Amino acid sequence: MNPTENSRRIPFSAMFNFRDVGGYPGHDARTVRWGRLYRSDSPHRIDGTDREAFAALGIRTVIDLRRPTEVDRDGRVPDLDGLAYRHIHPEHADWALSRHEPDSSLARYLADRYADLAETGTAGLAEAVGLIADSANAPVLVHCVAGKDRTGIVCALTLSVLGVDDEQIAEDYALSTEASQRFSAWLAEAMPEADAPPAPFLGSPAEAMALFLAELRERHGSIEDYLRHTGVTDAQLAALRDHLLEPPAPR
């Protein structure tokens, strides 16, 4: 049985933003397939019952978008039988160099950070999308630290190629706000001495992703043309649609 919209989020005890990106309407009235592409915050805390639940999803490939320093600090997804691990770091500036001012728009701040990454991280984004395009790698999990920014960009680009409209892509991105609240509650209990993460690390206003996608099109003509600019091939774009969209309904 396929999941439903109500079960998009897959609960784990120590991951807070793990969800399936299936179920959205795409090109030619074809629906994005469930159980093929997942997104999450970092899975380095998987243990115990979480390990069994994760293994049951049958994930073949984990794409880790974190900085090397983040991987060194926290570790990576556990080694599981049949699981391929790929670390890809889309180059981007440290957000500390452009801090968010509390009285300014968080959506505008995030959209600008995403635009910067889209310009400097082309090689990494192309590699990630190329891995997702290869059906032999599926099911795929894409993650970063919180599962909302770098992961959000890769999933948004992928869903756009599949024909999902910007409003639904932005709504999917915005689901990370609730996940961030769960993470903050866990962090406060597990590490009460830790400082609360700043707003840009917690907020995922839908407007941020909508701005990013609209402005990326303004600069490149279309999301597909942007991805071609990064090095993604037409064959890979076609492969994304072939295996991530449900087959056309019989006529």
Side-chain angles (χ1 to χ4, degrees), residues 162-202:
L162 299 179
V164 180
D165 67 43
D166 284 7
E167 182 176 357
Q168 289 192 299
I169 293 172
E171 288 174 359
D172 181 82
Y173 161 81
L175 293 175
S176 290
T177 295
E178 181 189 356
S180 295
Q181 293 167 353
R182 290 191 295 272
F183 170 73
S184 292
W186 173 85
L187 185 67
E189 182 175 346
M191 290 178 273
E193 72 286 353
D195 293 334
F201 291 86
L202 298 176

Side-chain angles (χ1 to χ4, degrees), residues 221-245:
S222 69
I223 301 302
E224 289 82 356
D225 281 343
Y226 165 73
L227 287 170
R228 292 184 185 100
H229 160 73
T230 70
V232 175
T233 67
D234 285 336
Q236 288 172 319
L237 294 174
L240 278 173
R241 300 185 185 106
D242 285 346
H243 87 91
L244 285 178
L245 290 171

Side-chain angles (χ1 to χ4, degrees), residues 52-93:
E52 295 176 11
F54 183 85
L57 295 173
I59 292 169
R60 292 182 185 172
T61 309
V62 170
I63 300 175
D64 182 346
L65 301 172
R66 293 175 297 166
R67 296 179 185 274
T69 53
E70 293 168 331
V71 179
D72 291 343
R73 180 191 68 200
D74 295 331
R76 44 155 285 186
V77 66
D79 258 329
L80 297 172
D81 289 343
L83 185 68
Y85 172 77
R86 299 291 294 269
H87 178 229
I88 299 170
H89 172 220
E91 296 286 344
H92 60 289

